[in-house]
Coordinates of all heavy atoms in Angstrom, one line a residue:
M1327 N -98.2 192.2 4.9 CA -97.2 191.2 5.2 C -95.8 191.9 5.0 O -94.9 191.5 5.8 CB -97.3 190.1 4.2 CG -96.3 189.0 4.4 SD -96.9 187.8 5.6 CE -95.7 186.6 5.5
L1328 N -95.6 192.8 4.1 CA -94.3 193.3 3.9 C -94.0 194.3 5.0 O -92.8 194.4 5.5 CB -94.3 194.1 2.6 CG -92.9 194.8 2.2 CD1 -91.9 193.7 2.0 CD2 -93.1 195.6 1.0
L1329 N -95.0 195.0 5.5 CA -94.8 195.9 6.6 C -94.5 195.1 7.9 O -93.6 195.6 8.7 CB -96.2 196.7 6.9 CG -96.0 197.7 8.0 CD1 -95.0 198.8 7.8 CD2 -97.4 198.3 8.3
E1330 N -95.0 193.9 8.1 CA -94.7 193.1 9.2 C -93.3 192.6 9.1 O -92.5 192.6 10.1 CB -95.6 191.9 9.3 CG -97.0 192.3 9.6 CD -98.0 191.0 9.6 OE1 -97.5 190.0 9.1 OE2 -99.1 191.2 9.9
A1331 N -92.8 192.2 8.0 CA -91.5 191.7 7.8 C -90.4 192.8 8.1 O -89.4 192.7 8.7 CB -91.3 191.1 6.3
L1332 N -90.7 194.0 7.5 CA -89.8 195.1 7.6 C -89.8 195.6 9.1 O -88.7 195.8 9.6 CB -90.3 196.3 6.7 CG -89.3 197.5 6.6 CD1 -87.9 197.1 6.2 CD2 -89.9 198.6 5.8
S1333 N -90.8 195.6 9.7 CA -90.9 196.0 11.1 C -90.2 195.0 12.0 O -89.5 195.4 13.0 CB -92.4 196.2 11.6 OG -93.0 197.1 10.8
S1334 N -90.4 193.7 11.7 CA -89.7 192.8 12.6 C -88.1 192.7 12.4 O -87.5 192.5 13.3 CB -90.3 191.4 12.3 OG -90.0 190.9 10.9
V1335 N -87.7 193.1 11.1 CA -86.3 193.2 10.8 C -85.7 194.4 11.7 O -84.7 194.2 12.3 CB -86.0 193.3 9.3 CG1 -84.6 193.8 9.1 CG2 -86.2 192.1 8.6
I1336 N -86.4 195.5 11.6 CA -85.9 196.6 12.4 C -85.9 196.3 13.9 O -85.0 196.7 14.6 CB -86.8 197.9 12.1 CG1 -86.5 198.3 10.6 CG2 -86.5 199.1 13.0 CD1 -87.5 199.3 10.1
L1337 N -87.0 195.7 14.3 CA -87.2 195.3 15.8 C -85.9 194.4 16.2 O -85.3 194.6 17.2 CB -88.4 194.7 16.0 CG -88.7 194.2 17.5 CD1 -88.7 195.4 18.4 CD2 -90.0 193.5 17.6
G1338 N -85.8 193.4 15.4 CA -84.6 192.4 15.6 C -83.3 193.1 15.6 O -82.4 192.8 16.5
L1339 N -83.1 194.0 14.7 CA -81.9 194.8 14.7 C -81.6 195.6 15.9 O -80.5 195.7 16.5 CB -81.8 195.6 13.4 CG -80.5 196.4 13.1 CD1 -79.4 195.3 12.9 CD2 -80.6 197.2 11.8
V1340 N -82.7 196.3 16.3 CA -82.6 197.1 17.6 C -82.4 196.3 18.8 O -81.5 196.6 19.6 CB -83.9 198.0 17.7 CG1 -84.0 198.6 19.0 CG2 -84.0 199.0 16.6
L1341 N -83.1 195.2 18.9 CA -82.8 194.3 20.0 C -81.5 193.7 20.1 O -80.8 193.8 21.1 CB -83.9 193.2 20.1 CG -85.3 193.6 20.5 CD1 -86.2 192.3 20.2 CD2 -85.4 194.1 21.7
A1342 N -81.0 193.3 18.9 CA -79.6 192.7 18.9 C -78.5 193.8 19.1 O -77.6 193.6 19.8 CB -79.4 192.1 17.5
G1343 N -78.7 195.0 18.5 CA -77.8 196.0 18.8 C -77.8 196.5 20.3 O -76.7 196.8 20.8
T1344 N -78.9 196.5 20.9 CA -79.0 196.8 22.3 C -78.3 195.8 23.2 O -77.5 196.1 24.1 CB -80.4 197.1 22.7 OG1 -81.0 198.1 22.0 CG2 -80.4 197.5 24.2
A1345 N -78.6 194.6 22.8 CA -77.9 193.4 23.6 C -76.4 193.5 23.3 O -75.7 193.3 24.2 CB -78.6 192.1 23.1
A1346 N -75.9 193.7 22.1 CA -74.5 193.6 21.8 C -73.8 194.9 22.6 O -72.7 194.8 22.9 CB -74.3 193.8 20.3
H1347 N -74.5 196.0 22.7 CA -74.0 197.1 23.4 C -73.9 197.0 24.9 O -72.9 197.2 25.5 CB -74.8 198.4 23.0 CG -74.3 199.6 23.7 ND1 -73.1 200.2 23.4 CD2 -74.7 200.3 24.8 CE1 -72.8 201.2 24.2 NE2 -73.9 201.4 25.1
R1348 N -75.0 196.5 25.5 CA -75.1 196.4 26.9 C -74.4 195.1 27.5 O -73.8 195.1 28.6 CB -76.5 196.4 27.4 CG -77.2 197.7 27.1 CD -78.5 197.8 27.7 NE -78.7 197.5 29.1 CZ -78.5 198.3 30.0 NH1 -78.2 199.6 29.8 NH2 -78.7 197.9 31.3
L1349 N -74.4 194.0 26.7 CA -73.8 192.7 27.2 C -72.6 192.3 26.3 O -72.4 191.1 26.0 CB -74.9 191.7 27.1 CG -76.1 191.9 28.0 CD1 -77.2 190.9 27.7 CD2 -75.7 191.8 29.4
S1350 N -71.8 193.2 25.8 CA -70.7 192.9 24.9 C -69.7 191.9 25.6 O -69.1 191.1 24.8 CB -70.0 194.2 24.5 OG -69.5 194.9 25.6
H1351 N -69.6 191.9 26.9 CA -68.6 191.1 27.5 C -69.1 189.6 27.6 O -68.4 188.7 27.9 CB -68.3 191.6 29.0 CG -69.5 191.7 29.8 ND1 -70.5 192.6 29.7 CD2 -69.8 190.9 30.9 CE1 -71.3 192.4 30.6 NE2 -71.1 191.4 31.4
R1352 N -70.5 189.4 27.4 CA -71.0 188.1 27.6 C -71.5 187.5 26.2 O -72.0 186.4 26.2 CB -72.2 188.1 28.5 CG -71.8 188.4 29.9 CD -72.9 188.3 30.9 NE -73.4 186.9 30.9 CZ -74.6 186.7 31.4 NH1 -75.3 187.6 32.0 NH2 -75.0 185.4 31.4
L1353 N -71.4 188.2 25.2 CA -71.8 187.8 23.8 C -70.6 187.6 22.9 O -69.5 188.2 23.1 CB -72.7 188.8 23.2 CG -74.2 188.9 23.9 CD1 -74.9 190.1 23.3 CD2 -75.0 187.6 23.5
P1354 N -70.8 186.7 21.9 CA -69.7 186.6 20.9 C -69.6 187.9 20.0 O -70.2 188.8 20.3 CB -70.2 185.3 20.1 CG -71.6 185.2 20.4 CD -71.9 185.8 21.6
A1355 N -69.0 187.7 18.9 CA -68.7 188.9 18.0 C -70.0 189.5 17.5 O -71.1 188.7 17.3 CB -67.9 188.4 16.8
R1356 N -70.0 190.7 17.3 CA -71.2 191.4 16.7 C -71.6 190.9 15.5 O -72.9 191.0 15.1 CB -70.8 192.9 16.7 CG -71.9 193.9 17.0 CD -71.3 195.3 16.9 NE -72.4 196.2 17.0 CZ -72.8 196.8 18.1 NH1 -72.1 196.7 19.1 NH2 -73.7 197.7 18.1
A1357 N -70.8 190.4 14.7 CA -71.1 189.8 13.4 C -72.0 188.6 13.5 O -72.7 188.2 12.5 CB -69.9 189.5 12.5
L1358 N -72.1 188.0 14.7 CA -73.0 186.8 14.9 C -74.2 187.3 15.5 O -75.3 186.7 15.4 CB -72.2 185.8 15.7 CG -73.0 184.5 16.1 CD1 -73.4 183.8 14.8 CD2 -72.2 183.7 17.0
V1359 N -74.1 188.3 16.4 CA -75.2 188.7 17.3 C -76.3 189.4 16.5 O -77.5 189.1 16.6 CB -74.8 189.6 18.4 CG1 -76.0 190.2 19.2 CG2 -73.9 188.9 19.3
L1360 N -75.9 190.3 15.5 CA -76.9 191.0 14.7 C -77.8 190.2 13.9 O -79.0 190.2 13.8 CB -76.2 192.2 14.0 CG -75.6 193.3 14.8 CD1 -74.9 194.3 14.0 CD2 -76.6 193.9 15.8
P1361 N -77.1 189.2 13.1 CA -77.9 188.4 12.2 C -78.8 187.4 13.0 O -79.9 187.0 12.5 CB -76.9 187.6 11.4 CG -75.7 188.4 11.4 CD -75.7 189.2 12.7
T1362 N -78.4 187.0 14.2 CA -79.1 186.1 15.1 C -80.4 186.8 15.4 O -81.5 186.3 15.5 CB -78.4 185.7 16.3 OG1 -77.2 184.9 15.8 CG2 -79.2 184.8 17.2
G1363 N -80.4 188.1 15.9 CA -81.5 188.8 16.3 C -82.5 189.1 15.2 O -83.7 189.0 15.3
I1364 N -81.9 189.4 14.0 CA -82.8 189.6 12.9 C -83.5 188.3 12.4 O -84.6 188.4 12.2 CB -82.0 190.2 11.7 CG1 -81.5 191.6 12.0 CG2 -82.8 190.3 10.4 CD1 -80.5 192.1 11.0
A1365 N -82.7 187.2 12.4 CA -83.4 186.0 12.0 C -84.4 185.5 13.0 O -85.4 185.0 12.6 CB -82.2 184.9 11.8
G1366 N -84.2 185.7 14.3 CA -85.1 185.4 15.3 C -86.4 186.1 15.1 O -87.5 185.7 15.3
A1367 N -86.2 187.4 14.9 CA -87.3 188.4 14.7 C -88.2 187.9 13.5 O -89.5 187.9 13.5 CB -87.0 189.7 14.7
L1368 N -87.6 187.6 12.4 CA -88.2 187.2 11.2 C -89.0 185.9 11.4 O -90.2 185.8 11.0 CB -87.3 187.1 10.0 CG -87.0 188.4 9.3 CD1 -85.9 188.1 8.2 CD2 -88.2 189.0 8.7
F1369 N -88.3 184.9 12.1 CA -89.0 183.7 12.4 C -90.1 183.8 13.3 O -91.2 183.2 13.1 CB -88.0 182.7 12.9 CG -88.5 181.2 13.2 CD1 -88.9 180.5 12.1 CD2 -88.7 180.8 14.4 CE1 -89.4 179.2 12.3 CE2 -89.2 179.6 14.6 CZ -89.6 178.8 13.5
G1370 N -89.9 184.7 14.3 CA -91.1 184.9 15.3 C -92.2 185.6 14.6 O -93.4 185.3 14.9
A1371 N -91.9 186.5 13.7 CA -93.1 187.1 13.0 C -93.8 186.1 12.0 O -95.0 186.2 12.0 CB -92.5 188.3 12.1
F1372 N -93.0 185.3 11.4 CA -93.7 184.3 10.6 C -94.5 183.3 11.4 O -95.7 183.0 11.0 CB -92.5 183.5 9.8 CG -93.0 182.3 9.2 CD1 -93.8 182.5 8.0 CD2 -92.8 181.0 9.6 CE1 -94.3 181.3 7.3 CE2 -93.2 179.9 8.9 CZ -94.1 180.0 7.8
V1373 N -94.0 182.9 12.5 CA -94.8 181.9 13.3 C -96.0 182.6 13.8 O -97.2 182.0 13.8 CB -93.9 181.4 14.4 CG1 -94.8 180.6 15.5 CG2 -92.9 180.4 13.9
T1374 N -95.9 183.8 14.4 CA -97.1 184.5 14.9 C -98.1 184.9 13.9 O -99.3 184.7 14.0 CB -96.6 185.8 15.6 OG1 -95.6 185.5 16.6 CG2 -97.7 186.5 16.3
H1375 N -97.5 185.2 12.7 CA -98.5 185.5 11.6 C -99.3 184.2 11.1 O -100.4 184.3 10.8 CB -97.8 186.2 10.5 CG -98.7 186.5 9.2 ND1 -99.4 187.6 9.2 CD2 -98.9 185.8 8.1 CE1 -100.2 187.7 8.1 NE2 -99.8 186.6 7.4
S1376 N -98.5 183.1 11.1 CA -99.1 181.9 10.7 C -100.2 181.4 11.7 O -101.2 180.9 11.4 CB -98.1 180.8 10.5 OG -97.3 181.2 9.5
A1377 N -99.9 181.5 13.0 CA -100.8 181.2 14.1 C -102.0 182.0 14.2 O -103.1 181.5 14.4 CB -100.1 181.2 15.4
L1378 N -101.8 183.3 14.0 CA -103.0 184.2 14.0 C -103.7 184.5 12.8 O -104.7 185.3 12.7 CB -102.6 185.6 14.8 CG -102.0 185.5 16.1 CD1 -101.6 186.8 16.6 CD2 -103.0 184.8 17.1
D1379 N -103.2 183.9 11.7 CA -103.7 184.1 10.3 C -103.6 185.6 9.9 O -102.5 185.9 9.4 CB -105.1 183.6 10.2 CG -105.5 183.4 8.7 OD1 -104.6 183.3 7.9 OD2 -106.7 183.4 8.5
T1380 N -104.5 186.5 10.1 CA -104.4 187.8 9.8 C -104.3 188.6 11.1 O -105.2 189.5 11.3 CB -105.6 188.3 8.9 OG1 -106.7 188.0 9.6 CG2 -105.6 187.5 7.6
G1381 N -103.3 188.4 11.8 CA -103.2 189.0 13.1 C -102.8 190.5 13.0 O -102.4 190.9 11.9
S1382 N -103.0 191.2 14.0 CA -102.7 192.6 14.0 C -101.1 192.7 14.1 O -100.4 191.9 14.6 CB -103.4 193.3 15.2 OG -102.9 192.8 16.4
L1383 N -100.7 193.9 13.7 CA -99.2 194.2 13.7 C -98.6 194.2 15.0 O -97.6 193.6 15.2 CB -99.0 195.5 13.0 CG -97.5 196.0 12.9 CD1 -96.7 195.0 12.1 CD2 -97.3 197.3 12.3
P1384 N -99.3 194.8 16.1 CA -98.7 194.7 17.4 C -98.5 193.2 18.0 O -97.4 192.9 18.7 CB -99.6 195.4 18.4 CG -100.3 196.3 17.4 CD -100.4 195.6 16.1
M1385 N -99.4 192.3 17.7 CA -99.3 190.9 18.1 C -98.1 190.2 17.4 O -97.4 189.5 17.9 CB -100.5 190.2 17.9 CG -101.7 190.7 18.9 SD -101.2 190.6 20.6 CE -101.2 188.8 20.8
V1386 N -98.0 190.5 16.1 CA -96.8 189.9 15.3 C -95.5 190.4 15.7 O -94.6 189.7 15.9 CB -97.1 190.3 13.8 CG1 -95.9 189.8 13.0 CG2 -98.3 189.5 13.3
L1387 N -95.4 191.7 16.1 CA -94.2 192.3 16.7 C -93.9 191.7 18.1 O -92.7 191.6 18.4 CB -94.3 193.8 16.7 CG -94.3 194.5 15.3 CD1 -94.3 196.0 15.5 CD2 -93.1 194.0 14.5
L1388 N -94.9 191.5 18.8 CA -94.7 190.8 20.2 C -94.1 189.5 20.0 O -93.1 189.1 20.7 CB -96.0 190.8 20.9 CG -95.9 190.3 22.3 CD1 -95.0 191.2 23.2 CD2 -97.3 190.1 23.0
G1389 N -94.7 188.7 19.0 CA -94.1 187.3 18.8 C -92.7 187.4 18.2 O -91.9 186.6 18.6
A1390 N -92.4 188.4 17.4 CA -91.1 188.6 16.8 C -90.1 188.9 17.8 O -89.0 188.4 17.9 CB -91.1 189.7 15.7
A1391 N -90.5 189.8 18.8 CA -89.5 190.2 19.9 C -89.3 189.1 20.8 O -88.1 188.8 21.3 CB -90.2 191.4 20.7
A1392 N -90.3 188.3 21.1 CA -90.1 187.1 22.0 C -89.1 186.2 21.4 O -88.2 185.6 22.1 CB -91.5 186.5 22.3
V1393 N -89.3 185.7 20.1 CA -88.4 184.8 19.6 C -87.0 185.4 19.4 O -86.0 184.6 19.5 CB -89.0 184.2 18.2 CG1 -88.1 183.3 17.5 CG2 -90.3 183.5 18.5
S1394 N -86.9 186.6 19.0 CA -85.6 187.2 18.8 C -84.8 187.3 20.2 O -83.6 187.0 20.2 CB -85.8 188.7 18.3 OG -84.5 189.3 18.2
L1395 N -85.5 187.7 21.3 CA -84.8 187.6 22.6 C -84.4 186.2 23.0 O -83.4 186.0 23.6 CB -85.7 188.3 23.6 CG -85.9 189.8 23.4 CD1 -86.9 190.3 24.5 CD2 -84.5 190.5 23.7
A1396 N -85.3 185.2 22.7 CA -84.9 183.9 23.0 C -83.7 183.4 22.2 O -82.8 182.7 22.7 CB -86.1 183.0 22.7
A1397 N -83.6 183.7 21.0 CA -82.5 183.3 20.2 C -81.1 184.1 20.7 O -80.1 183.5 20.7 CB -82.7 183.7 18.7
L1398 N -81.3 185.3 21.1 CA -80.2 186.1 21.6 C -79.8 185.5 22.9 O -78.5 185.5 23.2 CB -80.4 187.6 21.7 CG -80.5 188.3 20.4 CD1 -81.1 189.7 20.6 CD2 -79.2 188.3 19.7
S1399 N -80.6 185.1 23.7 CA -80.3 184.5 25.0 C -79.5 183.2 24.9 O -78.8 182.9 25.8 CB -81.6 184.3 25.8 OG -82.3 183.1 25.4
L1400 N -79.6 182.5 23.8 CA -78.9 181.3 23.6 C -77.4 181.6 23.3 O -76.6 180.7 23.4 CB -79.5 180.4 22.4 CG -80.9 179.9 22.6 CD1 -81.4 179.3 21.4 CD2 -80.8 178.9 23.7
L1401 N -77.0 182.9 22.9 CA -75.7 183.2 22.7 C -75.0 183.6 24.0 O -73.7 183.8 23.9 CB -75.6 184.4 21.6 CG -76.2 184.0 20.2 CD1 -76.1 185.3 19.4 CD2 -75.3 182.9 19.6
L1402 N -75.6 183.9 25.1 CA -75.0 184.4 26.2 C -74.0 183.4 26.8 O -74.3 182.2 26.9 CB -76.0 184.8 27.3 CG -76.8 186.0 27.0 CD1 -77.9 186.2 28.0 CD2 -75.9 187.2 27.1
R1403 N -73.0 183.9 27.3 CA -71.9 183.1 28.0 C -72.0 183.4 29.5 O -72.5 184.4 29.9 CB -70.6 183.3 27.5 CG -70.4 183.0 26.1 CD -68.9 183.3 25.6 NE -68.9 184.7 25.6 CZ -68.0 185.3 24.8 NH1 -67.2 184.7 24.1 NH2 -68.0 186.7 24.8
P1404 N -71.6 182.5 30.3 CA -71.6 182.8 31.9 C -70.8 184.1 32.1 O -69.8 184.3 31.5 CB -70.9 181.6 32.4 CG -71.1 180.5 31.4 CD -71.1 181.1 30.1
A1405 N -71.3 184.8 33.1 CA -70.6 186.0 33.5 C -69.2 185.9 34.1 O -68.3 186.5 33.7 CB -71.5 186.8 34.5
G1406 N -69.1 184.9 35.0 CA -67.8 184.7 35.7 C -67.2 183.3 35.3 O -67.9 182.5 34.6
R1407 N -66.1 183.1 35.9 CA -65.6 181.7 35.7 C -66.3 180.8 36.6 O -66.6 181.0 37.7 CB -64.1 181.8 36.0 CG -63.3 182.6 35.1 CD -61.8 182.4 35.4 NE -61.0 183.2 34.5 CZ -60.3 182.6 33.6 NH1 -60.2 181.2 33.5 NH2 -59.5 183.3 32.8
L1408 N -66.4 179.6 36.1 CA -67.2 178.5 36.8 C -66.1 177.9 37.7 O -65.0 177.5 37.3 CB -67.8 177.5 35.9 CG -68.9 178.0 35.0 CD1 -69.2 176.9 34.1 CD2 -70.1 178.4 35.8
R1409 N -66.5 177.7 39.0 CA -65.5 177.1 39.9 C -65.8 175.6 39.8 O -66.9 175.1 39.9 CB -65.7 177.6 41.3 CG -65.3 179.0 41.5 CD -65.4 179.3 42.9 NE -65.0 180.7 43.1 CZ -64.8 181.3 44.2 NH1 -65.0 180.6 45.3 NH2 -64.4 182.5 44.2
R1410 N -64.8 174.9 39.7 CA -64.8 173.4 39.6 C -64.4 172.8 41.0 O -63.4 173.1 41.5 CB -63.9 172.8 38.6 CG -64.2 173.4 37.2 CD -64.6 172.4 36.3 NE -64.9 173.0 35.0 CZ -65.6 172.4 34.1 NH1 -66.0 171.2 34.3 NH2 -65.8 173.0 33.0
R1411 N -65.3 172.1 41.6 CA -65.0 171.5 42.8 C -64.5 170.1 42.6 O -64.9 169.4 41.7 CB -66.2 171.3 43.8 CG -66.8 172.7 44.1 CD -67.9 172.6 45.0 NE -68.4 173.8 45.3 CZ -68.7 174.2 46.5 NH1 -68.5 173.4 47.5 NH2 -69.1 175.4 46.8
S1412 N -63.6 169.7 43.4 CA -63.0 168.3 43.3 C -64.0 167.3 43.7 O -65.0 167.6 44.5 CB -61.7 168.2 44.1 OG -62.1 168.2 45.5
A1413 N -63.9 166.1 43.3 CA -64.8 165.0 43.7 C -64.8 164.7 45.2 O -65.7 164.3 45.8 CB -64.6 163.8 42.8
A1414 N -63.7 165.0 45.8 CA -63.5 164.7 47.2 C -64.2 165.6 48.1 O -64.5 165.4 49.2 CB -62.0 164.5 47.5
A1415 N -64.3 166.9 47.6 CA -64.9 168.0 48.4 C -66.4 167.7 48.4 O -67.2 167.7 49.1 CB -64.6 169.3 47.9

């Protein structure tokens, strides 16, 4: 269980760091992105471990990555400005 938690923290940190580096123009401050990735990975590992009971490490890490990426995707802002059309058009 400790190995799963430590592995998921490292995975969440790597995913959040990569997202913050590649999508820095669409994400908020790094101080928010990194903890979100880590917390998402820990929660994903917990849920996957609970669902599979004594699941294997790769399956737990897959669940951790999925939830971490989903949490990070919630922080994304639109790439360009939104055009507002008038009601008459």
Side-chain angles (χ1 to χ4, degrees):
M1327 180 90 172
L1328 183 63
L1329 181 63
E1330 291 173 357
L1332 184 61
S1333 299
S1334 65
V1335 165
I1336 293 170
L1337 178 66
L1339 187 61
V1340 168
L1341 289 174
T1344 303
H1347 177 70
R1348 294 185 51 92
L1349 299 170
S1350 61
H1351 61 286
R1352 294 186 60 196
L1353 286 170
R1356 216 176 169 98
L1358 178 65
V1359 173
L1360 295 178
T1362 300
I1364 293 170
L1368 278 172
F1369 184 68
F1372 170 72
V1373 168
T1374 308
H1375 180 80
S1376 298
L1378 299 178
D1379 197 23
T1380 57
S1382 62
L1383 183 62
M1385 292 302 291
V1386 170
L1387 291 180
L1388 183 66
V1393 175
S1394 178
L1395 288 174
L1398 289 171
S1399 74
L1400 294 175
L1401 295 177
L1402 285 175
R1403 293 181 289 208
R1407 292 185 178 251
L1408 297 175
R1409 292 187 179 189
R1410 305 245 178 194
R1411 294 182 181 229
S1412 65

